[in-house]
Amino acid sequence: EAQVTQNPRYLITVTGKKLTVTCSQNMNHEYMSWYRQDPGLGLRQIYYSMNVEVTDKGDVPEGYKVSRKEKRNFPLILESPSPNQTSLYFCASSLDRGSNIQYFGAGTRLSVL
Amino acid sequence: QKEVEQNSGPLSVPEGAIASLNCTYSDRGSQSFFWYRQYSGKSPELIMSIYSNGDKEDGRFTAQLNKASQYVSLLIRDSQPSDSATYLCAVTNAGNNRKLIWGLGTSLAVNP
């Protein structure tokens, strides 16, 4: 089954404790991205990757890191989480940026205390 | 800043009626247009894509695109309570960037 898998689905952590949210897709997609979704602000792109070892900032990259060492995986790293990073996070992938039919993971609800 | 605007709603329609959702965009060079449905707490899922002026139908859903007026709409015929969700409009901007710009979504409630 074609899917984008995110883990964990729910995470409660404390300020400053490094965490990683994993994302994996099995569709051989080149393009992957991370979004956060907040009430009244909609979906905002954090980082994206056009292919292996090619990543770039989205609209709200501050406080986040990503890597793309393999085509299928695109983890999101919060080196020192802060309460303003409490949000619902989605990983998405598409065949390429141009097609833009994006497939989303189930989401990770993060609370930073 | 390129924008995509939607009425936040909630849009309330009775079961069996036609729900009409609208979206306007500011980038005249936009080329690709998408409607995603998002249930509360769930991830967005694509329901329609449209690339040229006119109507595109898929089951109970019809997407309408008017590039001259810079709007795209989604019609849902025979609305069902299961259609109650937030509908997100997304537009690809012009040029090599092909960045996807998202609207904030319209909340639809279909009442039995």
Side-chain angles (χ1 to χ4, degrees), chain A residues 40-85:
Chain A
L41 297 176
L43 278 168
R44 294 181 292 168
Q45 191 178 53
I46 303 170
Y47 269 94
Y48 64 92
S49 170
M50 302 283 273
N51 213 323
V52 175
E53 301 292 1
V54 181
T55 63
D56 208 348
K57 297 177 180 178
D59 299 315
V60 287
E62 294 78 20
Y64 304 94
K65 287 176 57 177
V66 293
S67 67
R68 187 91 180 274
K69 294 183 170 56
E70 305 165 281
K71 198 171 188 178
R72 63 183 293 127
N73 296 324
F74 190 45
L76 179 70
I77 303 157
L78 284 71
E79 295 269 4
S80 183
S82 62
N84 65 11
Q85 294 178 298

mmCIF file of all heavy atoms in Angstrom, chain A residues 40-85:
data_model
loop_
_atom_site.group_PDB
_atom_site.id
_atom_site.type_symbol
_atom_site.label_atom_id
_atom_site.label_comp_id
_atom_site.label_asym_id
_atom_site.label_seq_id
_atom_site.Cartn_x
_atom_site.Cartn_y
_atom_site.Cartn_z
ATOM 1 N N GLY A 40 -5.940 29.077 12.548
ATOM 2 C CA GLY A 40 -5.907 30.438 12.024
ATOM 3 C C GLY A 40 -4.723 30.750 11.130
ATOM 4 O O GLY A 40 -4.691 31.803 10.481
ATOM 5 N N LEU A 41 -3.752 29.848 11.085
ATOM 6 C CA LEU A 41 -2.554 30.083 10.266
ATOM 7 C C LEU A 41 -2.442 29.101 9.112
ATOM 8 O O LEU A 41 -1.610 29.281 8.220
ATOM 9 C CB LEU A 41 -1.302 30.005 11.140
ATOM 10 C CG LEU A 41 -1.199 31.060 12.241
ATOM 11 C CD1 LEU A 41 0.042 30.821 13.090
ATOM 12 C CD2 LEU A 41 -1.165 32.467 11.643
ATOM 13 N N GLY A 42 -3.209 28.051 9.143
ATOM 14 C CA GLY A 42 -3.208 27.095 8.042
ATOM 15 C C GLY A 42 -1.943 26.261 7.986
ATOM 16 O O GLY A 42 -1.182 26.153 8.955
ATOM 17 N N LEU A 43 -1.727 25.676 6.827
ATOM 18 C CA LEU A 43 -0.544 24.857 6.586
ATOM 19 C C LEU A 43 0.625 25.753 6.193
ATOM 20 O O LEU A 43 0.523 26.526 5.245
ATOM 21 C CB LEU A 43 -0.815 23.874 5.444
ATOM 22 C CG LEU A 43 -1.548 22.586 5.768
ATOM 23 C CD1 LEU A 43 -1.975 21.900 4.491
ATOM 24 C CD2 LEU A 43 -0.684 21.664 6.612
ATOM 25 N N ARG A 44 1.707 25.618 6.897
ATOM 26 C CA ARG A 44 2.899 26.391 6.572
ATOM 27 C C ARG A 44 4.064 25.437 6.376
ATOM 28 O O ARG A 44 4.316 24.566 7.207
ATOM 29 C CB ARG A 44 3.210 27.402 7.685
ATOM 30 C CG ARG A 44 2.161 28.492 7.824
ATOM 31 C CD ARG A 44 2.530 29.481 8.923
ATOM 32 N NE ARG A 44 2.460 28.859 10.243
ATOM 33 C CZ ARG A 44 2.946 29.416 11.357
ATOM 34 N NH1 ARG A 44 3.542 30.589 11.300
ATOM 35 N NH2 ARG A 44 2.827 28.789 12.503
ATOM 36 N N GLN A 45 4.778 25.636 5.289
ATOM 37 C CA GLN A 45 5.871 24.730 4.964
ATOM 38 C C GLN A 45 7.116 25.079 5.782
ATOM 39 O O GLN A 45 7.518 26.238 5.854
ATOM 40 C CB GLN A 45 6.180 24.787 3.471
ATOM 41 C CG GLN A 45 7.115 23.691 2.996
ATOM 42 C CD GLN A 45 7.344 23.751 1.505
ATOM 43 O OE1 GLN A 45 7.714 24.784 0.963
ATOM 44 N NE2 GLN A 45 7.124 22.638 0.828
ATOM 45 N N ILE A 46 7.727 24.044 6.360
ATOM 46 C CA ILE A 46 8.910 24.245 7.192
ATOM 47 C C ILE A 46 10.184 24.060 6.358
ATOM 48 O O ILE A 46 11.025 24.947 6.275
ATOM 49 C CB ILE A 46 8.905 23.245 8.360
ATOM 50 C CG1 ILE A 46 7.629 23.396 9.186
ATOM 51 C CG2 ILE A 46 10.137 23.442 9.244
ATOM 52 C CD1 ILE A 46 7.438 22.283 10.214
ATOM 53 N N TYR A 47 10.311 22.903 5.767
ATOM 54 C CA TYR A 47 11.431 22.558 4.890
ATOM 55 C C TYR A 47 10.908 21.655 3.789
ATOM 56 O O TYR A 47 9.889 21.000 3.948
ATOM 57 C CB TYR A 47 12.530 21.805 5.659
ATOM 58 C CG TYR A 47 13.603 22.661 6.254
ATOM 59 C CD1 TYR A 47 13.522 23.103 7.574
ATOM 60 C CD2 TYR A 47 14.720 23.022 5.508
ATOM 61 C CE1 TYR A 47 14.521 23.881 8.135
ATOM 62 C CE2 TYR A 47 15.731 23.805 6.057
ATOM 63 C CZ TYR A 47 15.620 24.239 7.375
ATOM 64 O OH TYR A 47 16.605 25.012 7.927
ATOM 65 N N TYR A 48 11.664 21.613 2.702
ATOM 66 C CA TYR A 48 11.341 20.671 1.649
ATOM 67 C C TYR A 48 12.626 20.104 1.070
ATOM 68 O O TYR A 48 13.716 20.643 1.274
ATOM 69 C CB TYR A 48 10.466 21.304 0.567
ATOM 70 C CG TYR A 48 11.105 22.431 -0.213
ATOM 71 C CD1 TYR A 48 11.798 22.176 -1.403
ATOM 72 C CD2 TYR A 48 10.995 23.752 0.222
ATOM 73 C CE1 TYR A 48 12.369 23.207 -2.125
ATOM 74 C CE2 TYR A 48 11.571 24.775 -0.490
ATOM 75 C CZ TYR A 48 12.250 24.514 -1.675
ATOM 76 O OH TYR A 48 12.816 25.532 -2.381
ATOM 77 N N SER A 49 12.451 19.015 0.328
ATOM 78 C CA SER A 49 13.593 18.355 -0.300
ATOM 79 C C SER A 49 13.199 17.934 -1.701
ATOM 80 O O SER A 49 12.187 17.258 -1.900
ATOM 81 C CB SER A 49 14.007 17.125 0.507
ATOM 82 O OG SER A 49 14.954 16.355 -0.204
ATOM 83 N N MET A 50 14.001 18.347 -2.667
ATOM 84 C CA MET A 50 13.721 18.023 -4.062
ATOM 85 C C MET A 50 14.246 16.630 -4.409
ATOM 86 O O MET A 50 13.775 16.016 -5.365
ATOM 87 C CB MET A 50 14.368 19.054 -4.977
ATOM 88 C CG MET A 50 13.916 20.480 -4.697
ATOM 89 S SD MET A 50 12.289 20.829 -5.357
ATOM 90 C CE MET A 50 12.729 21.311 -7.008
ATOM 91 N N ASN A 51 15.249 16.152 -3.657
ATOM 92 C CA ASN A 51 15.799 14.826 -3.899
ATOM 93 C C ASN A 51 16.831 14.534 -2.816
ATOM 94 O O ASN A 51 17.058 15.358 -1.921
ATOM 95 C CB ASN A 51 16.437 14.744 -5.301
ATOM 96 C CG ASN A 51 16.299 13.359 -5.917
ATOM 97 O OD1 ASN A 51 16.388 12.344 -5.214
ATOM 98 N ND2 ASN A 51 16.092 13.315 -7.208
ATOM 99 N N VAL A 52 17.491 13.410 -2.918
ATOM 100 C CA VAL A 52 18.494 13.037 -1.919
ATOM 101 C C VAL A 52 19.571 14.110 -1.835
ATOM 102 O O VAL A 52 20.048 14.606 -2.853
ATOM 103 C CB VAL A 52 19.116 11.678 -2.279
ATOM 104 C CG1 VAL A 52 20.241 11.333 -1.310
ATOM 105 C CG2 VAL A 52 18.064 10.587 -2.277
ATOM 106 N N GLU A 53 19.869 14.506 -0.588
ATOM 107 C CA GLU A 53 20.902 15.498 -0.291
ATOM 108 C C GLU A 53 20.560 16.902 -0.796
ATOM 109 O O GLU A 53 21.430 17.772 -0.802
ATOM 110 C CB GLU A 53 22.272 15.065 -0.859
ATOM 111 C CG GLU A 53 22.789 13.725 -0.338
ATOM 112 C CD GLU A 53 23.170 13.750 1.141
ATOM 113 O OE1 GLU A 53 23.029 14.808 1.793
ATOM 114 O OE2 GLU A 53 23.600 12.697 1.660
ATOM 115 N N VAL A 54 19.321 17.126 -1.196
ATOM 116 C CA VAL A 54 18.896 18.458 -1.636
ATOM 117 C C VAL A 54 17.733 18.911 -0.764
ATOM 118 O O VAL A 54 16.613 18.384 -0.864
ATOM 119 C CB VAL A 54 18.458 18.463 -3.114
ATOM 120 C CG1 VAL A 54 18.041 19.875 -3.537
ATOM 121 C CG2 VAL A 54 19.561 17.935 -4.013
ATOM 122 N N THR A 55 18.014 19.851 0.133
ATOM 123 C CA THR A 55 16.966 20.373 1.015
ATOM 124 C C THR A 55 16.978 21.892 0.967
ATOM 125 O O THR A 55 17.999 22.508 0.641
ATOM 126 C CB THR A 55 17.155 19.911 2.465
ATOM 127 O OG1 THR A 55 18.382 20.437 2.977
ATOM 128 C CG2 THR A 55 17.177 18.393 2.564
ATOM 129 N N ASP A 56 15.846 22.495 1.297
ATOM 130 C CA ASP A 56 15.774 23.954 1.300
ATOM 131 C C ASP A 56 14.710 24.417 2.278
ATOM 132 O O ASP A 56 13.801 23.661 2.635
ATOM 133 C CB ASP A 56 15.473 24.484 -0.096
ATOM 134 C CG ASP A 56 16.031 25.886 -0.310
ATOM 135 O OD1 ASP A 56 16.440 26.535 0.687
ATOM 136 O OD2 ASP A 56 16.051 26.353 -1.462
ATOM 137 N N LYS A 57 14.862 25.669 2.709
ATOM 138 C CA LYS A 57 13.939 26.231 3.678
ATOM 139 C C LYS A 57 12.593 26.525 3.049
ATOM 140 O O LYS A 57 12.500 26.956 1.899
ATOM 141 C CB LYS A 57 14.529 27.530 4.249
ATOM 142 C CG LYS A 57 15.816 27.337 5.009
ATOM 143 C CD LYS A 57 16.373 28.679 5.473
ATOM 144 C CE LYS A 57 17.678 28.498 6.240
ATOM 145 N NZ LYS A 57 18.248 29.803 6.660
ATOM 146 N N GLY A 58 11.570 26.317 3.856
ATOM 147 C CA GLY A 58 10.235 26.735 3.472
ATOM 148 C C GLY A 58 9.937 28.098 4.060
ATOM 149 O O GLY A 58 10.811 28.960 4.153
ATOM 150 N N ASP A 59 8.714 28.268 4.520
ATOM 151 C CA ASP A 59 8.285 29.572 5.031
ATOM 152 C C ASP A 59 8.618 29.798 6.508
ATOM 153 O O ASP A 59 8.771 30.930 6.944
ATOM 154 C CB ASP A 59 6.770 29.726 4.838
ATOM 155 C CG ASP A 59 6.383 29.671 3.377
ATOM 156 O OD1 ASP A 59 7.074 30.329 2.560
ATOM 157 O OD2 ASP A 59 5.417 28.964 3.044
ATOM 158 N N VAL A 60 8.715 28.719 7.268
ATOM 159 C CA VAL A 60 8.940 28.850 8.722
ATOM 160 C C VAL A 60 10.012 27.876 9.188
ATOM 161 O O VAL A 60 9.760 26.988 10.002
ATOM 162 C CB VAL A 60 7.616 28.639 9.505
ATOM 163 C CG1 VAL A 60 6.698 29.829 9.340
ATOM 164 C CG2 VAL A 60 6.933 27.345 9.082
ATOM 165 N N PRO A 61 11.267 28.024 8.741
ATOM 166 C CA PRO A 61 12.299 27.027 9.054
ATOM 167 C C PRO A 61 12.988 27.187 10.409
ATOM 168 O O PRO A 61 13.679 26.271 10.856
ATOM 169 C CB PRO A 61 13.306 27.256 7.923
ATOM 170 C CG PRO A 61 13.197 28.728 7.650
ATOM 171 C CD PRO A 61 11.734 29.056 7.824
ATOM 172 N N GLU A 62 12.781 28.346 11.064
ATOM 173 C CA GLU A 62 13.546 28.618 12.279
ATOM 174 C C GLU A 62 13.243 27.595 13.365
ATOM 175 O O GLU A 62 12.086 27.341 13.693
ATOM 176 C CB GLU A 62 13.231 30.035 12.790
ATOM 177 C CG GLU A 62 13.691 31.156 11.872
ATOM 178 C CD GLU A 62 12.770 31.350 10.679
ATOM 179 O OE1 GLU A 62 11.602 30.889 10.746
ATOM 180 O OE2 GLU A 62 13.204 31.940 9.680
ATOM 181 N N GLY A 63 14.306 27.034 13.931
ATOM 182 C CA GLY A 63 14.162 26.076 15.012
ATOM 183 C C GLY A 63 14.062 24.633 14.555
ATOM 184 O O GLY A 63 13.908 23.733 15.381
ATOM 185 N N TYR A 64 14.157 24.405 13.266
ATOM 186 C CA TYR A 64 14.032 23.057 12.706
ATOM 187 C C TYR A 64 15.250 22.728 11.844
ATOM 188 O O TYR A 64 15.891 23.594 11.281
ATOM 189 C CB TYR A 64 12.777 22.940 11.837
ATOM 190 C CG TYR A 64 11.497 23.300 12.521
ATOM 191 C CD1 TYR A 64 10.989 24.603 12.430
ATOM 192 C CD2 TYR A 64 10.776 22.365 13.247
ATOM 193 C CE1 TYR A 64 9.806 24.947 13.053
ATOM 194 C CE2 TYR A 64 9.589 22.694 13.873
ATOM 195 C CZ TYR A 64 9.116 23.988 13.777
ATOM 196 O OH TYR A 64 7.937 24.333 14.397
ATOM 197 N N LYS A 65 15.525 21.425 11.748
ATOM 198 C CA LYS A 65 16.507 20.901 10.811
ATOM 199 C C LYS A 65 15.932 19.683 10.124
ATOM 200 O O LYS A 65 15.038 19.017 10.659
ATOM 201 C CB LYS A 65 17.803 20.506 11.549
ATOM 202 C CG LYS A 65 18.643 21.658 12.027
ATOM 203 C CD LYS A 65 19.840 21.152 12.829
ATOM 204 C CE LYS A 65 20.707 20.194 12.072
ATOM 205 N NZ LYS A 65 21.909 19.778 12.863
ATOM 206 N N VAL A 66 16.451 19.407 8.927
ATOM 207 C CA VAL A 66 16.039 18.205 8.209
ATOM 208 C C VAL A 66 17.269 17.592 7.564
ATOM 209 O O VAL A 66 18.330 18.221 7.474
ATOM 210 C CB VAL A 66 14.994 18.510 7.107
ATOM 211 C CG1 VAL A 66 13.672 18.961 7.702
ATOM 212 C CG2 VAL A 66 15.535 19.536 6.122
ATOM 213 N N SER A 67 17.108 16.364 7.120
ATOM 214 C CA SER A 67 18.141 15.715 6.323
ATOM 215 C C SER A 67 17.462 14.787 5.327
ATOM 216 O O SER A 67 16.343 14.330 5.551
ATOM 217 C CB SER A 67 19.124 14.944 7.198
ATOM 218 O OG SER A 67 18.475 13.839 7.808
ATOM 219 N N ARG A 68 18.150 14.516 4.223
ATOM 220 C CA ARG A 68 17.603 13.589 3.220
ATOM 221 C C ARG A 68 18.765 12.731 2.699
ATOM 222 O O ARG A 68 19.341 12.965 1.654
ATOM 223 C CB ARG A 68 16.962 14.368 2.066
ATOM 224 C CG ARG A 68 16.218 13.483 1.077
ATOM 225 C CD ARG A 68 14.789 13.316 1.422
ATOM 226 N NE ARG A 68 14.055 12.469 0.502
ATOM 227 C CZ ARG A 68 13.492 12.907 -0.641
ATOM 228 N NH1 ARG A 68 13.603 14.172 -1.004
ATOM 229 N NH2 ARG A 68 12.831 12.060 -1.401
ATOM 230 N N LYS A 69 19.090 11.746 3.493
ATOM 231 C CA LYS A 69 20.198 10.856 3.146
ATOM 232 C C LYS A 69 19.738 9.712 2.248
ATOM 233 O O LYS A 69 20.544 9.122 1.502
ATOM 234 C CB LYS A 69 20.849 10.305 4.409
ATOM 235 C CG LYS A 69 21.545 11.379 5.243
ATOM 236 C CD LYS A 69 22.245 10.773 6.439
ATOM 237 C CE LYS A 69 23.139 11.766 7.141
ATOM 238 N NZ LYS A 69 22.442 12.989 7.559
ATOM 239 N N GLU A 70 18.480 9.370 2.347
ATOM 240 C CA GLU A 70 17.895 8.328 1.497
ATOM 241 C C GLU A 70 16.630 8.904 0.888
ATOM 242 O O GLU A 70 15.978 9.767 1.477
ATOM 243 C CB GLU A 70 17.526 7.097 2.314
ATOM 244 C CG GLU A 70 18.634 6.509 3.131
ATOM 245 C CD GLU A 70 18.061 5.538 4.154
ATOM 246 O OE1 GLU A 70 17.544 6.009 5.187
ATOM 247 O OE2 GLU A 70 18.122 4.335 3.899
ATOM 248 N N LYS A 71 16.266 8.372 -0.268
ATOM 249 C CA LYS A 71 15.102 8.915 -0.958
ATOM 250 C C LYS A 71 13.830 8.743 -0.149
ATOM 251 O O LYS A 71 12.948 9.594 -0.167
ATOM 252 C CB LYS A 71 14.948 8.229 -2.324
ATOM 253 C CG LYS A 71 14.068 8.969 -3.295
ATOM 254 C CD LYS A 71 14.163 8.345 -4.662
ATOM 255 C CE LYS A 71 13.449 9.182 -5.709
ATOM 256 N NZ LYS A 71 13.575 8.600 -7.068
ATOM 257 N N ARG A 72 13.677 7.669 0.564
ATOM 258 C CA ARG A 72 12.427 7.372 1.234
ATOM 259 C C ARG A 72 12.257 8.105 2.565
ATOM 260 O O ARG A 72 11.150 8.228 3.052
ATOM 261 C CB ARG A 72 12.304 5.869 1.448
ATOM 262 C CG ARG A 72 13.358 5.255 2.338
ATOM 263 C CD ARG A 72 13.191 3.749 2.431
ATOM 264 N NE ARG A 72 11.965 3.413 3.133
ATOM 265 C CZ ARG A 72 11.031 2.595 2.637
ATOM 266 N NH1 ARG A 72 11.186 2.039 1.444
ATOM 267 N NH2 ARG A 72 9.946 2.316 3.336
ATOM 268 N N ASN A 73 13.330 8.574 3.183
ATOM 269 C CA ASN A 73 13.245 9.121 4.536
ATOM 270 C C ASN A 73 13.544 10.614 4.589
ATOM 271 O O ASN A 73 14.477 11.103 3.925
ATOM 272 C CB ASN A 73 14.224 8.397 5.463
ATOM 273 C CG ASN A 73 13.871 6.933 5.630
ATOM 274 O OD1 ASN A 73 12.694 6.573 5.670
ATOM 275 N ND2 ASN A 73 14.875 6.088 5.722
ATOM 276 N N PHE A 74 12.790 11.317 5.421
ATOM 277 C CA PHE A 74 12.975 12.764 5.545
ATOM 278 C C PHE A 74 12.636 13.152 6.981
ATOM 279 O O PHE A 74 11.556 13.663 7.276
ATOM 280 C CB PHE A 74 12.056 13.469 4.549
ATOM 281 C CG PHE A 74 12.306 14.946 4.393
ATOM 282 C CD1 PHE A 74 13.581 15.460 4.270
ATOM 283 C CD2 PHE A 74 11.227 15.834 4.333
ATOM 284 C CE1 PHE A 74 13.805 16.811 4.105
ATOM 285 C CE2 PHE A 74 11.437 17.199 4.164
ATOM 286 C CZ PHE A 74 12.730 17.684 4.048
ATOM 287 N N PRO A 75 13.551 12.945 7.906
ATOM 288 C CA PRO A 75 13.254 13.253 9.313
ATOM 289 C C PRO A 75 13.289 14.746 9.611
ATOM 290 O O PRO A 75 14.045 15.505 8.997
ATOM 291 C CB PRO A 75 14.387 12.523 10.057
ATOM 292 C CG PRO A 75 15.502 12.449 9.062
ATOM 293 C CD PRO A 75 14.853 12.298 7.714
ATOM 294 N N LEU A 76 12.472 15.140 10.562
ATOM 295 C CA LEU A 76 12.418 16.521 11.052
ATOM 296 C C LEU A 76 13.027 16.543 12.444
ATOM 297 O O LEU A 76 12.614 15.774 13.313
ATOM 298 C CB LEU A 76 10.972 17.012 11.099
ATOM 299 C CG LEU A 76 10.754 18.433 11.620
ATOM 300 C CD1 LEU A 76 11.285 19.454 10.623
ATOM 301 C CD2 LEU A 76 9.261 18.669 11.893
ATOM 302 N N ILE A 77 13.992 17.415 12.642
ATOM 303 C CA ILE A 77 14.731 17.479 13.903
ATOM 304 C C ILE A 77 14.482 18.817 14.578
ATOM 305 O O ILE A 77 14.618 19.875 13.944
ATOM 306 C CB ILE A 77 16.243 17.299 13.649
ATOM 307 C CG1 ILE A 77 16.493 15.963 12.927
ATOM 308 C CG2 ILE A 77 17.026 17.354 14.966
ATOM 309 C CD1 ILE A 77 17.788 15.928 12.163
ATOM 310 N N LEU A 78 14.127 18.750 15.853
ATOM 311 C CA LEU A 78 14.016 19.947 16.678
ATOM 312 C C LEU A 78 15.137 19.862 17.704
ATOM 313 O O LEU A 78 15.080 19.065 18.636
ATOM 314 C CB LEU A 78 12.652 20.036 17.356
ATOM 315 C CG LEU A 78 11.465 20.453 16.481
ATOM 316 C CD1 LEU A 78 11.064 19.356 15.495
ATOM 317 C CD2 LEU A 78 10.285 20.867 17.359
ATOM 318 N N GLU A 79 16.184 20.640 17.498
ATOM 319 C CA GLU A 79 17.378 20.556 18.349
ATOM 320 C C GLU A 79 17.080 21.016 19.779
ATOM 321 O O GLU A 79 17.552 20.418 20.744
ATOM 322 C CB GLU A 79 18.502 21.416 17.767
ATOM 323 C CG GLU A 79 19.026 20.937 16.426
ATOM 324 C CD GLU A 79 20.189 19.965 16.569
ATOM 325 O OE1 GLU A 79 20.535 19.607 17.714
ATOM 326 O OE2 GLU A 79 20.747 19.548 15.537
ATOM 327 N N SER A 80 16.318 22.087 19.908
ATOM 328 C CA SER A 80 15.986 22.630 21.224
ATOM 329 C C SER A 80 14.546 23.146 21.189
ATOM 330 O O SER A 80 14.307 24.347 21.027
ATOM 331 C CB SER A 80 16.960 23.752 21.589
ATOM 332 O OG SER A 80 16.687 24.246 22.893
ATOM 333 N N PRO A 81 13.590 22.229 21.323
ATOM 334 C CA PRO A 81 12.180 22.627 21.164
ATOM 335 C C PRO A 81 11.766 23.700 22.156
ATOM 336 O O PRO A 81 12.234 23.738 23.312
ATOM 337 C CB PRO A 81 11.431 21.316 21.424
ATOM 338 C CG PRO A 81 12.426 20.237 21.216
ATOM 339 C CD PRO A 81 13.749 20.806 21.607
ATOM 340 N N SER A 82 10.863 24.550 21.688
ATOM 341 C CA SER A 82 10.291 25.594 22.536
ATOM 342 C C SER A 82 8.772 25.498 22.462
ATOM 343 O O SER A 82 8.225 24.906 21.519
ATOM 344 C CB SER A 82 10.767 26.978 22.091
ATOM 345 O OG SER A 82 10.333 27.234 20.770
ATOM 346 N N PRO A 83 8.067 26.070 23.439
ATOM 347 C CA PRO A 83 6.601 25.964 23.453
ATOM 348 C C PRO A 83 5.934 26.475 22.176
ATOM 349 O O PRO A 83 4.867 25.977 21.795
ATOM 350 C CB PRO A 83 6.214 26.807 24.672
ATOM 351 C CG PRO A 83 7.382 26.657 25.600
ATOM 352 C CD PRO A 83 8.589 26.662 24.699
ATOM 353 N N ASN A 84 6.542 27.434 21.473
ATOM 354 C CA ASN A 84 5.910 27.934 20.246
ATOM 355 C C ASN A 84 6.017 26.946 19.079
ATOM 356 O O ASN A 84 5.508 27.212 17.978
ATOM 357 C CB ASN A 84 6.460 29.312 19.849
ATOM 358 C CG ASN A 84 7.924 29.283 19.479
ATOM 359 O OD1 ASN A 84 8.522 28.231 19.313
ATOM 360 N ND2 ASN A 84 8.512 30.463 19.349
ATOM 361 N N GLN A 85 6.661 25.819 19.317
ATOM 362 C CA GLN A 85 6.697 24.755 18.319
ATOM 363 C C GLN A 85 5.635 23.691 18.590
ATOM 364 O O GLN A 85 5.564 22.688 17.869
ATOM 365 C CB GLN A 85 8.085 24.128 18.243
ATOM 366 C CG GLN A 85 9.126 25.110 17.712
ATOM 367 C CD GLN A 85 10.523 24.525 17.662
ATOM 368 O OE1 GLN A 85 11.095 24.158 18.694
ATOM 369 N NE2 GLN A 85 11.080 24.439 16.459
#
